[in-house]
Amino acid sequence: QQKVQITQAFINEPDILILDEPFSGLDPVNSKIFQDALLGYIREDRIIIFSSHQMSYVEEFCEDIAIVNKGEIILSGNLKDIKKKFGENRLVLSACNYSLEKLKEVCENNFSELVDVNEVKKEFIVLELKKDISKKQLLLALINSGVDIEKFGEYEPTLTDIFVLKAGDNNE
């Protein structure tokens, strides 16, 4: 039924396509076919408006977003700008010679004047630079302390991270 509805939406080749949860109920193969069709539509400078709880699709297709919580827009704008703002002064770090939990402990104990540890992700920890501290200062301190850096760079939050931060239960 979902495939039939999607096909109907494309039949007349409208300039604006409005979709509500377009990927729900699609298996991975049909989801990929639909993604390719949407990307083609976008390349033709047509407008697609869609609502979704699947943030990876929003990140894939959208330049501008609006996050709605309880009927109110709580965040809107250009997706790249929003991600940049929420990632500001944050870095990712992983090391070859420390597990993530141990690296978190090392940063909290040895570099607390430079950074705060925000969270431990699957493949890295997220650090937030303290005021007036540069990436270079932190990098030199890490190297000089013997941390064998595997990954070091700017943190780009996912849209899911941002959504949870803005619309999560603790924001009521």
Side-chain angles (χ1 to χ4, degrees):
Q1 184 177 352
Q2 181 78 345
K3 288 190 283 187
V4 170
Q5 290 175 350
I6 290 169
T7 303
Q8 286 176 331
F10 281 95
I11 283 177
N12 294 323
E13 298 184 7
D15 290 331
I16 299 175
L17 192 60
I18 301 173
L19 305 167
D20 183 25
E21 296 291 350
F23 294 95
S24 66
L26 293 179
D27 61 74
V29 172
N30 284 303
S31 179
K32 177 67 176 136
I33 291 168
F34 185 44
Q35 287 178 49
D36 292 344
L38 286 178
L39 288 171
Y41 215 72
I42 291 167
R43 279 191 290 276
E44 294 173 0
D45 286 330
R46 296 182 186 197
I47 296 171
I48 299 173
I49 299 171
F50 77 90
S51 67
S52 181
H53 289 89
Q54 298 175 349
M55 297 297 127
S56 61
Y57 290 122
V58 175
E59 286 184 281
E60 176 81 22
F61 299 110
C62 298
E63 292 178 16
D64 296 296
I65 64 161
I67 295 178
V68 179
N69 188 33
K70 298 180 182 170
E72 288 187 41
I73 295 175
I74 57 171
L75 181 66
S76 65
N78 179 274
L79 180 57
K80 284 182 184 177
D81 293 343
I82 290 169
K83 289 177 96 170
K84 185 175 180 176
K85 178 185 172 209
F86 279 85
E88 199 168 46
N89 293 322
R90 292 186 181 178
L91 303 168
V92 297
L93 175 66
S94 64
C96 298
N97 57 339
Y98 292 114
S99 69
L100 293 178
E101 284 301 323
K102 182 63 177 170
L103 185 59
K104 175 184 181 223
E105 189 178 302
V106 167
C107 288
E108 289 172 339
N109 293 335
N110 301 343
F111 307 111
S112 61
E113 72 282 356
L114 302 173
V115 294
D116 289 318
V117 178
N118 280 132
E119 65 182 305
V120 177
K121 295 279 197 175
K122 183 178 178 183
E123 298 178 0
F124 52 81
I125 61 174
V126 179
L127 304 172
E128 186 163 353
L129 292 170
K130 298 264 180 142
K131 185 176 172 68
D132 298 324
I133 301 296
S134 70
K135 287 187 286 189
K136 182 179 179 180
Q137 287 173 287
L138 175 61
L139 184 58
L140 288 172
L142 290 165
I143 292 168
N144 290 333
S145 73
V147 175
D148 185 5
I149 297 169
E150 178 180 47
K151 181 181 279 192
F152 180 86
E154 294 189 13
Y155 172 62
E156 183 178 283
T158 65
L159 189 51
T160 298
D161 293 336
I162 295 168
F163 184 91
V164 168
L165 184 65
K166 293 299 289 180
D169 288 340
N170 58 352
N171 291 309
E172 290 184 24

